[in-house]
Amino acid sequence: MKKQLLLLLLLSFIYQNTSSFWILTSFYINQTYIAENICINRFDAIPMCYGSCYLQSELSEDSDKKMDFPLLKTKEIQPLFSQSWAYEYEIVPRIPLENIPYPSYVNPLEIIPFVSAVFQPPERA
């Protein structure tokens, strides 16, 4: 049951996001019927529209529907409680880094001299 509900929701989201594609597809499939029966200019002697007026009206209705959906990203969220804080910063004196004595640490187990003594490049003959 969960898979069927998930599939239904997925298909509805896909249809909603691709609605203009489906309008265009149905128009091109039924273009002759639309031009002969639904088009506004179907009674003209020489029709130049071929149903494009119907397509334009359907696409504009679809764009109007998309504009009616609220954009959740642009909505402002008002907090229930707000607390204002009076923040006063303090100026901290700077410590010059060049005058700090750093300890010198030498690792007695360092193996770099050993590695350079063992691994040497091959000699040319």
Side-chain angles (χ1 to χ4, degrees):
M1 182 66 185
K2 288 182 181 179
K3 288 183 180 181
Q4 294 169 348
L5 182 64
L6 181 67
L7 184 63
L8 179 68
L9 286 174
L10 181 66
L11 290 176
S12 66
F13 285 134
I14 290 173
Y15 178 75
Q16 181 181 5
N17 291 330
T18 59
S19 60
S20 55
F21 170 75
W22 297 112
I23 291 171
L24 284 171
T25 304
S26 66
F27 171 75
Y28 285 120
I29 289 173
N30 301 320
Q31 187 173 9
T32 55
Y33 174 78
I34 292 170
E36 292 173 0
N37 299 322
I38 301 175
C39 184
I40 298 170
N41 301 327
R42 66 180 178 263
F43 298 115
D44 290 346
I46 303 174
M48 301 297 289
C49 180
Y50 298 111
S52 63
C53 58
Y54 175 76
L55 176 65
Q56 190 67 27
S57 67
E58 289 293 315
L59 288 175
S60 65
E61 286 177 17
D62 183 50
S63 66
D64 290 342
K65 285 180 185 176
K66 285 184 180 178
M67 295 300 270
D68 289 342
F69 291 132
L71 296 176
L72 297 177
K73 292 180 183 175
T74 59
K75 249 187 189 176
E76 289 186 25
I77 299 173
Q78 297 293 331
L80 296 175
F81 304 102
S82 72
Q83 181 179 8
S84 62
W85 290 24
Y87 177 73
E88 295 179 10
Y89 64 93
E90 296 179 17
I91 297 175
V92 179
R94 294 185 179 206
I95 301 171
L97 296 178
E98 55 269 354
N99 296 336
I100 298 176
Y102 292 105
S104 60
Y105 178 74
V106 177
N107 188 359
L109 301 174
E110 195 172 64
I111 61 168
I112 291 182
F114 175 73
V115 170
S116 62
V118 172
F119 297 107
Q120 294 180 357
E123 295 179 7
R124 285 188 175 175

